[in-house]
Amino acid sequence: MLTSKVEKTLNAQLELEASSSQTYLAMASWAETQGLGGIAEFLFMHSDEEREHMLKLLKYINERGGHAIVPQLDAPAVEYGSIQTVFQTLLDHEVMVSQAINDCVAVCIDESDYTTQNFLQWYVAEQLEEEALARTIMDKLKLIGGDKGGLYLFDRDIATLTV
Ligand code: FEO
């Protein structure tokens, strides 16, 4: 059984994962309108992964006797201006999500809920990977700078980077 504090914290994380999914979906749609099909595909996939993260929390909360709440979400941004902006936003967002996961773990320790703390370790590991990938992408984009040929190749090759 979850304590109400843990339940509330996990529901807040569920909302954050759902909003990550929506944000990456909006980025994917924007990239598609810019003719960047490879980047769009990568972001569509990433959006699906965030939905999986959200569902995993939803199922866990209910399994432990809580009630997972499907949240109302704010609309994500429509325009992103540049691909650098997209991935800088993504990196900043993932850093924020990692902090939120750490906060969830701290609440579990406070509440002596070691089962949930253990469940959250999957998210801790996942965040490590996601941040590393976002940093790799930003490094590549810095190398490319304003080079259109470089962007063309990046768009073609991004599918080979694993999330
Ligand atoms: Fe599920 Fe990228 O945080």
Side-chain angles (χ1 to χ4, degrees):
M1 192 76 189
L2 299 172
T3 67
S4 61
K5 199 169 169 195
V6 170
E7 182 178 354
K8 202 172 156 208
T9 304
L10 292 182
N11 266 311
Q13 189 63 34
L14 182 158
E15 180 172 349
L16 191 52
E17 302 289 349
S19 103
S20 304
S21 178
Q22 288 290 87
T23 299
Y24 300 157
L25 190 60
M27 288 173 171
S29 180
W30 178 82
E32 199 163 55
T33 66
Q34 305 300 303
L36 297 164
I39 292 168
E41 211 40 57
F42 175 90
L43 290 164
F44 279 126
M45 205 174 72
H46 204 119
S47 170
D48 284 347
E49 290 203 354
E50 297 301 350
R51 182 176 153 76
E52 290 295 320
H53 299 174
M54 182 272 289
L55 276 175
K56 202 175 165 80
L57 276 159
L58 184 150
K59 292 189 171 153
Y60 179 81
I61 294 167
N62 288 342
E63 204 173 271
R64 295 287 315 280
H67 186 176
I69 309 297
V70 176
Q72 181 172 13
L73 302 170
D74 291 336
V78 174
E79 299 294 336
Y80 292 90
S82 75
I83 213 65
Q84 278 84 357
T85 305
V86 165
F87 283 103
Q88 186 61 53
T89 306
L90 186 147
L91 173 58
D92 293 345
H93 189 82
E94 289 302 333
V95 169
M96 184 266 284
V97 172
S98 297
Q99 188 54 53
I101 292 286
N102 281 347
D103 293 347
C104 287
V105 170
V107 168
C108 290
I109 293 168
D110 248 24
E111 298 280 295
S112 304
D113 183 347
Y114 303 113
T115 309
T116 305
Q117 186 203 354
N118 189 47
F119 164 79
L120 286 172
Q121 292 313 305
W122 183 87
Y123 287 85
V124 171
E126 180 71 10
Q127 282 313 117
L128 193 68
E129 276 181 30
E130 292 204 352
E131 274 193 45
L133 178 61
R135 288 204 173 86
T136 303
I137 290 174
M138 278 313 293
D139 288 345
K140 287 188 192 304
L141 288 174
K142 273 179 201 144
L143 281 175
I144 292 167
D147 176 13
K148 287 211 160 61
L151 183 59
Y152 175 85
L153 293 175
F154 177 79
D155 184 63
R156 191 194 65 181
D157 295 341
I158 190 169
T160 63
L161 297 168
T162 49
V163 184

